[in-house]
Amino acid sequence: MENTETLSSIDPAQIPIGIVGLGLMGCSITTCLLIAGHPVIATAPLPIDLETAETRINDHLTQSYEQEICSKQPTFYLKNLIITEDHHRLEDVMVVIECTLEDISIKKQVYQNIENVVSHRTIITSNTSAIPISLLQKETQFPNRFFGLHWAEPSHTTRFLEIICGDDSDQEKAEWLYKLSHRWAKEPTLVRKDIRGFITNRLMYALYREAFYLVENGYATVDDVDRACRNNAGYWMTLVGCFRWMDLTGVAAYHAVMKDLFPTLHNGSEVPKMIDDLVKAGGKGISNAHGFYDYTPDEAHQWRETFEEFSYEIRRLALKYPVDVVKKKLENEKKAD
């Protein structure tokens, strides 16, 4: 696990990984790691996940084969998977990814179970979306080997991954994880300084807050806001991020707008009433056909299938435009000359 390792020298087949938690994301993360070539020991603290995990992972692998994300049939990858409720099976893994509920008391018990069986050299990570890594580190015996690994769903199709260091994280181990994650078909971000929400959630929740403000104060409907997101930022964000977008479209214009717009943006710290009422009424979104939109059961099912279909199609488009697309084009032009 030396930082001097090059990407080409990292062999996933020699790096067994443990997954703790086999819900929606745990299964798609497992799929991603199997496709990358890792042996995976996947543990399910919740018995109900044992009943559904293998079918869900098999379905992901089948779709990935059909969409040419992987070159082998599911049976090839499933040979490298062990699904169990026995956390002692994690004893030989080199990396553990915890994917449990966003509850520190639950995570604390999970970390104790993990550290009771793994080597002191094993890297332990959490797929938390927002809990500061520095806070979770305090619940472990060896904080220097603990990191955040924040994935996006579906984890086996997206390029997104945040690797987050806590206050006590070993930077060399962080760099090693960063290199390894390129083997997972990611364009990772290494967050060297811990902050609640990391990068993407801080950006997205600023957007969510303003979206609720606009709807709750009568400036727009839910559908209006969604259309604006889809047809503006949604149009260019697969190619560039916000800073490159400003470069492309003229930095000075944004500077001028910020002076007058920033003071008017909502900066409230309360959970918006609209989502609070929805959750208290039992709304979960597509999963129970009760969200910001009204759904029939058929519509909810069709939206879920459409999202899965879109995730594969947008992946194909995104792969045509990697982060270094312009650099590669210039190199090819030089070779042609």
Side-chain angles (χ1 to χ4, degrees):
M1 199 180 297
E2 298 297 328
N3 195 33
T4 54
E5 284 182 293
T6 62
L7 180 59
S8 61
S9 69
I10 295 176
D11 181 7
Q14 302 302 315
I15 304 173
I17 295 184
I19 301 290
V20 180
L22 284 171
L24 188 67
M25 290 207 70
C27 287
S28 65
I29 292 171
T30 297
T31 303
C32 175
L33 298 174
L34 289 171
I35 291 173
H38 291 280
V40 178
I41 310 293
T43 66
L46 298 177
I48 191 171
D49 289 339
L50 279 176
E51 301 172 13
T52 59
E54 187 168 359
T55 298
R56 189 178 283 167
I57 293 167
N58 185 75
D59 288 346
H60 287 332
L61 289 169
T62 299
Q63 289 180 322
S64 296
Y65 177 72
E66 292 172 351
Q67 298 292 333
E68 299 181 346
I69 291 177
C70 57
S71 59
K72 306 289 186 182
Q73 294 276 6
T75 51
F76 175 84
Y77 301 101
L78 291 173
K79 289 185 294 186
N80 282 330
L81 174 64
I82 295 174
I83 297 176
T84 178
E85 55 186 338
D86 181 7
H87 63 268
H88 291 90
R89 300 291 297 271
L90 299 171
E91 60 181 348
D92 295 323
V93 302
M94 295 177 65
V95 179
V96 180
I97 303 171
E98 168 265 310
C99 308
T100 60
L101 296 174
E102 293 285 73
D103 183 315
I104 291 182
S105 61
I106 292 174
K107 292 183 185 295
K108 179 179 180 180
Q109 184 59 56
V110 168
Y111 301 150
Q112 288 177 355
N113 292 341
I114 293 169
E115 290 192 301
N116 283 340
V117 297
V118 301
S119 160
H120 70 279
R121 291 172 56 83
T122 300
I123 291 177
I124 300 175
T125 71
S126 176
N127 182 42
T128 180
S129 296
I131 301 175
I133 300 307
S134 301
L135 191 61
L136 292 177
Q137 282 180 327
K138 298 182 187 300
E139 308 300 337
T140 66
Q141 297 175 33
F142 304 103
N144 69 318
R145 51 102 171 256
F146 189 92
F147 301 87
L149 275 185
H150 182 211
W151 303 68
E153 179 65 21
S155 303
H156 57 294
T157 66
T158 63
R159 296 178 296 180
F160 174 82
L161 183 70
E162 287 178 323
I163 301 162
I164 307 103
C165 297
D167 292 342
D168 299 318
S169 297
D170 184 316
Q171 290 292 321
E172 285 197 3
K173 290 182 173 64
E175 293 287 350
W176 183 82
L177 275 174
Y178 179 78
K179 290 177 181 177
L180 176 62
S181 66
H182 285 80
R183 288 290 194 181
W184 305 339
K186 303 302 177 192
E187 289 184 1
T189 302
L190 179 54
V191 185
R192 294 170 174 82
K193 187 176 179 181
D194 193 19
I195 185 170
R196 185 179 287 273
F198 322 133
I199 298 173
T200 190
N201 273 341
R202 292 186 71 87
L203 293 173
M204 290 306 302
Y205 277 82
L207 185 150
Y208 297 148
R209 179 168 60 185
E210 191 64 29
F212 280 113
Y213 177 80
L214 292 171
V215 174
E216 289 184 341
N217 288 276
Y219 295 103
T221 65
V222 166
D223 186 60
D224 292 331
V225 171
D226 276 358
R227 285 173 185 264
C229 290
R230 280 166 48 89
N231 297 322
N232 187 359
Y235 186 77
W236 49 262
M237 273 198 171
T238 295
L239 175 64
V240 296
C242 55
F243 290 107
R244 184 82 71 185
W245 178 248
M246 287 188 283
D247 278 350
L248 281 169
T249 54
V251 174
Y254 293 92
H255 177 264
V257 170
M258 286 175 184
K259 294 177 183 179
D260 295 324
L261 181 59
F262 275 10
T264 74
L265 295 176
H266 185 54
N267 62 358
S269 58
E270 299 295 320
V271 174
K273 184 177 185 300
M274 187 177 167
I275 191 172
D276 194 45
D277 289 347
L278 177 61
V279 171
K280 287 177 179 176
K284 297 181 180 180
I286 291 293
S287 65
N288 67 349
H290 183 191
F292 297 109
Y293 293 92
D294 293 326
Y295 304 94
T296 65
D298 286 344
E299 286 173 334
H301 176 74
Q302 191 58 239
W303 268 110
R304 188 159 38 246
E305 288 195 345
T306 300
F307 174 65
E308 290 178 3
E309 177 186 344
F310 174 80
S311 70
Y312 290 105
E313 289 192 15
I314 198 69
R315 182 182 188 275
R316 283 193 289 272
L317 177 62
L319 289 176
K320 291 176 61 178
Y321 300 95
V323 67
D324 58 350
V325 58
V326 169
K327 180 181 178 181
K328 287 181 176 179
K329 285 184 175 183
L330 291 173
E331 288 175 351
N332 290 336
E333 287 178 4
K334 286 182 179 179
K335 290 176 182 178
D337 294 341

